[in-house]
């Protein structure tokens, strides 16, 4: 079974601060997806990273896929209250399994 | 666009009762999934389907059943509800495994189920 561990589990910061969320595994993933889930709603895709070492930017969010494709990070610059939510990473294993493996999530709260 | 629609949004069941959670999608996705999300946790895969007539177990299938008679619908059935099945249930759909990787999933807004 491929496991994805996210850290930290919880993060409460002030508006304007920077933060990094990590998604780690001992397994190799062919691609990795990041989702954000707001209270009362389902997760929504933010980005997919495919190539080892790949960096993708989405406004103030920067996503990186590790060179070995076992880990990923999400960095938020100048966090805003609208960034509040549960951030989930989901890995696509090399086994060809036809479903994603989701991490346990990082719950972020940005205080105004 | 409706996307993925789940009904009901909320439900309270008594122990031992049965019910069906409905999920329908209008994106012509072949793949559909059922997850449960316990408070403060990530998603655990219950069952998934890669097309009409085909279903496979996920990580936590015990106590649940599914069927996939059409591309659009993927209902989840609880036969004998137990308190451990209190959770939020999410249905999702996607284009599945294409180009060597799993395509992004589109989620419904969930069904909040309490079993007392």
């Amino acid at each position: 079974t491929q496991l994805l561990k996210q850290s930290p589990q919880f993060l409460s910061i002030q508006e304007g601060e920077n933060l990094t969320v990590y998604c780690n595994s001992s397994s190799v993933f062919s691609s990795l997806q990041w989702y954000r889930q707001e209270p009362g709603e389902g997760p929504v895709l933010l980005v997919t990273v495919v190539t080892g070492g790949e960096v993708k930017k989405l406004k103030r969010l920067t996503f990186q896929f590790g060179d070995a494709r076992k880990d990923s990070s999400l960095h938020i610059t100048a966090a805003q209250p609208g960034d509040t939510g549960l951030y989930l990473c989901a890995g696509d294993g090399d086994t060809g399994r036809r479903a994603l493996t989701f991490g346990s999530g990082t719950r972020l709260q940005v205080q105004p | 666009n409706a996307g993925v629609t789940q009904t009901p949004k909320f439900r309270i069941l008594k122990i031992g009762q049965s019910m069906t959670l409905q999920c329908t999608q209008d994106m012509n996705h072949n793949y559909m999934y059922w997850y449960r999300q316990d408070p403060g946790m990530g998603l655990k895969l219950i069952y998934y389907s890669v097309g009409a007539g085909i279903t496979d177990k996920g990580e936590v299938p015990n106590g649940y059943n599914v069927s996939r008679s059409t591309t659009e619908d993927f209902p989840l059935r609880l036969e004998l509800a137990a308190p451990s099945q209190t959770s939020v249930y999410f249905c999702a759909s996607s284009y599945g495994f294409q180009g060597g990787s799993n395509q992004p999933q589109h989620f419904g807004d969930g069904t909040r189920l309490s079993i007392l």
Side-chain angles (χ1 to χ4, degrees), chain A residues 25-99:
Chain A
S25 176
S26 58
S27 303
V28 175
F29 291 97
S30 58
S31 67
L32 199 133
Q33 301 173 12
W34 283 93
Y35 291 79
R36 180 169 66 209
Q37 183 181 16
E38 299 189 18
E41 299 181 6
V44 175
L45 180 74
L46 294 172
V47 77
T48 301
V49 286
V50 179
T51 306
E54 182 177 5
V55 176
K56 278 191 174 178
K57 291 194 174 184
L58 189 66
K59 297 183 180 179
R60 294 176 293 99
L61 278 61
T62 301
F63 303 85
Q64 186 163 8
F65 201 14
D67 291 341
R69 293 185 289 135
K70 293 182 178 181
D71 54 83
S72 181
S73 64
L74 158 60
H75 183 79
I76 301 179
T77 304
Q80 298 178 0
D83 296 326
T84 293
L86 179 68
Y87 288 81
L88 295 161
C89 63
D92 189 7
D94 273 345
T95 60
R97 179 170 177 251
R98 295 179 289 187

Side-chain angles (χ1 to χ4, degrees), chain A residues 33 35 37 40 92 97 104, chain B residues 37 42 90 101-102 105 112:
Chain A
Q33 301 173 12
Y35 291 79
Q37 183 181 16
D92 189 7
R97 179 170 177 251
S104 51
Chain B
Q37 185 175 41
F90 287 99
S101 63
N102 266 301
Q105 296 184 13
R112 283 142 190 83

Side-chain angles (χ1 to χ4, degrees), chain B residues 19-21 34 46-47 64-66 74-78 89:
Chain B
M19 78 162 293
T20 299
L21 282 65
W34 274 106
I46 304 172
Y47 272 96
Y64 307 95
N65 280 301
V66 293
F74 190 39
L76 176 71
R77 182 149 180 91
L78 283 70
Y89 291 84

Side-chain angles (χ1 to χ4, degrees), chain B residues 12-18 79-85 114-116:
Chain B
I12 298 175
L13 283 181
K14 293 183 179 179
I15 295 171
Q17 287 185 320
S18 61
E79 290 293 349
L80 287 171
S84 61
Q85 293 177 305
S114 294
I115 298 163
L116 306 174

